[in-house]
Amino acid sequence: MNFTEAINRAKAGEESGFGYLYENTYRSKYYLALQYMKNEEAAQDVLQDAYIKAFSKLNTLQDAEKFPSWFGMIVANTAKNALAKNNPMLFSDITVNGEE
């Protein structure tokens, strides 16, 4: 099976398609999430959220063979959003033109 066939199966609701996509991207994307989150549990949460997003948006992917890089962008954006949510910047922390 390749990514094109896996995505076609996943779109048809077949578990084998989702399984192939997961098994062929999990390790590298877990390490990507871990680089952002610096915490194993948080990285796993980000990855789970990213898979949910990706699997629900498979119909927007134009080139199925680019799934790994497309999914990598979803993982990175999900991690950035999680970091922003967990570490909000306060207005009092922002300086304007070097002035406080």
Side-chain angles (χ1 to χ4, degrees):
M1 186 180 315
N2 59 25
F3 285 108
T4 301
E5 185 178 344
I7 287 178
N8 288 336
R9 287 184 181 191
K11 285 180 181 179
E14 294 181 32
E15 191 173 320
S16 62
F18 292 111
Y20 179 89
L21 296 172
Y22 177 83
E23 290 168 12
N24 285 278
T25 57
Y26 177 80
R27 181 174 287 164
S28 65
K29 302 316 175 202
Y30 169 73
Y31 289 117
L32 175 62
L34 190 58
Q35 286 178 329
Y36 280 98
M37 304 309 293
K38 311 287 189 227
N39 173 305
E40 289 183 13
E41 189 174 307
Q44 290 171 347
D45 289 344
V46 161
L47 200 55
Q48 180 178 356
D49 290 346
Y51 274 111
I52 291 168
K53 289 176 186 177
F55 288 164
S56 69
K57 301 284 185 185
L58 282 178
N59 59 339
T60 66
L61 179 61
Q62 303 209 352
D63 182 353
E65 292 302 316
K66 293 185 179 174
F67 178 82
S69 59
W70 178 75
F71 182 59
M73 292 298 297
I74 293 173
V75 171
N77 289 333
T78 303
K80 289 175 189 176
N81 290 341
L83 288 170
K85 187 186 300 183
N86 293 338
N87 300 312
M89 181 179 287
L90 301 176
F91 283 108
S92 61
D93 294 338
I94 301 172
T95 61
V96 179
N97 296 328
E99 299 175 11
E100 298 212 26

